[in-house]
Amino acid sequence: MIKLEDTYKHKGQRKALVKLLQEKGIRSEAVLEAIHALPRHFFFDSALHSHAYEDKAFPIGEGQTISQPYTVAFQTELLQIKPGDKVLEIGTGSGYQGSILHLLGAVVHTIEYQPKLYERTKRFLGKLGIPLNFYLGDGSQGIPQQAPFDKIIVTAGAPVVPTSLLNQLKIGGILVIPVGDRKTQKMMKLTKMSATKISKEEYDNFAFVPLLGKEGW
């Protein structure tokens, strides 16, 4: 296990962040508890620690960002994670979102497009003792060898919903994905009712980095 400092100040900042997320409409107690439990500043360079509990996205290198806490909470709440759910995360990024899913009891398979980020996050989460299953590759194609999944979360903006991901979802499974152009995307929740029927719900607009790959940009 890695030794990182989590002070009373950090804990107080997390408590304030959870209160803000509640005010913004996050209702799931389990999601709020996971955000309260996981030190977000561990995922930041030390120079940026003072910003770790602001409700903002921040750059993490390789053209990627650590998502805004509200976005993480919103997407996670839509997934309706149950302990033991097999979850596919498209876009490992900093590892923060995947760690939240792990704390909710999910078995997380996470895929990253950028080799440097993949190596860095895999090494870092190993030190933290957070056991995600890591893959390097084209997230828009999913991970067919591990399918089917109970839930799929995409943490990058897609031009369309990738067919590969819908095909890798179990019947009754949920896919949460931002779909739109390169600037803004509408959050979508797709539930696979049967092999041929998909139920779609649309939510607010968000701004994500682009989903790269064959069925992305």
Side-chain angles (χ1 to χ4, degrees):
M1 294 284 282
I2 194 169
K3 275 283 180 200
L4 288 165
E5 200 179 12
D6 187 28
T7 63
Y8 283 115
K9 184 183 176 186
H10 293 132
K11 287 171 180 157
Q13 287 173 320
R14 278 205 298 289
K15 198 172 176 181
L17 175 60
V18 165
K19 189 167 183 290
L20 177 65
L21 296 178
Q22 285 176 308
E23 286 165 6
K24 286 188 162 191
I26 301 299
R27 293 282 164 264
S28 166
E29 285 298 327
V31 171
L32 293 167
E33 278 171 23
I35 284 172
H36 187 253
L38 185 65
R40 191 169 181 252
H41 66 280
F42 286 4
F43 297 81
F44 281 66
D45 287 334
S46 54
L48 292 171
H49 274 188
S50 60
H51 298 289
Y53 297 104
E54 293 172 16
D55 193 23
K56 290 179 185 171
F58 275 92
I60 54 168
E62 309 306 309
Q64 305 300 302
T65 59
I66 180 170
S67 289
Q68 178 184 355
Y70 173 71
T71 305
V72 171
F74 188 81
Q75 282 197 290
T76 307
E77 191 169 62
L78 289 182
L79 280 177
Q80 298 167 12
I81 298 292
K82 296 179 185 69
D85 272 352
K86 187 176 182 181
V87 180
L88 171 58
E89 178 193 30
I90 310 299
T92 309
S94 68
Y96 180 76
Q97 171 72 76
S99 299
I100 292 287
L101 296 171
H102 165 70
L103 288 181
L104 290 168
V107 177
V108 183
H109 295 261
T110 183
I111 184 165
E112 174 56 50
Y113 194 81
Q114 308 284 354
K116 280 186 188 167
L117 211 47
Y118 162 80
E119 290 293 348
R120 189 171 84 203
T121 302
K122 185 179 180 184
R123 195 166 55 243
F124 172 65
L125 290 190
K127 286 177 184 170
L128 275 188
I130 294 174
L132 307 190
N133 301 285
F134 293 91
Y135 304 82
L136 175 65
D138 180 354
S140 75
Q141 301 283 280
I143 308 172
Q145 68 272 28
Q146 289 295 342
F149 296 95
D150 297 298
K151 312 282 164 68
I152 300 177
I153 178 171
V154 182
T155 63
V160 292
V161 177
T163 309
S164 299
L165 299 186
L166 285 173
N167 290 343
Q168 290 171 40
L169 197 59
K170 278 184 187 170
I171 306 294
I174 294 170
L175 165 62
V176 173
I177 180 170
V179 179
D181 57 30
R182 279 176 171 267
K183 285 207 171 99
T184 63
Q185 305 87 30
K186 202 167 273 300
M187 194 66 74
M188 311 271 294
K189 176 184 174 182
L190 297 97
T191 307
K192 194 169 185 176
M193 312 303 283
S194 71
T196 54
K197 189 176 179 217
I198 305 287
S199 154
K200 290 183 188 176
E201 295 167 59
E202 285 190 7
Y203 296 89
D204 294 345
N205 285 332
F206 288 82
F208 282 82
V209 295
L211 174 68
L212 302 176
K214 196 173 174 187
E215 291 187 63
W217 292 100

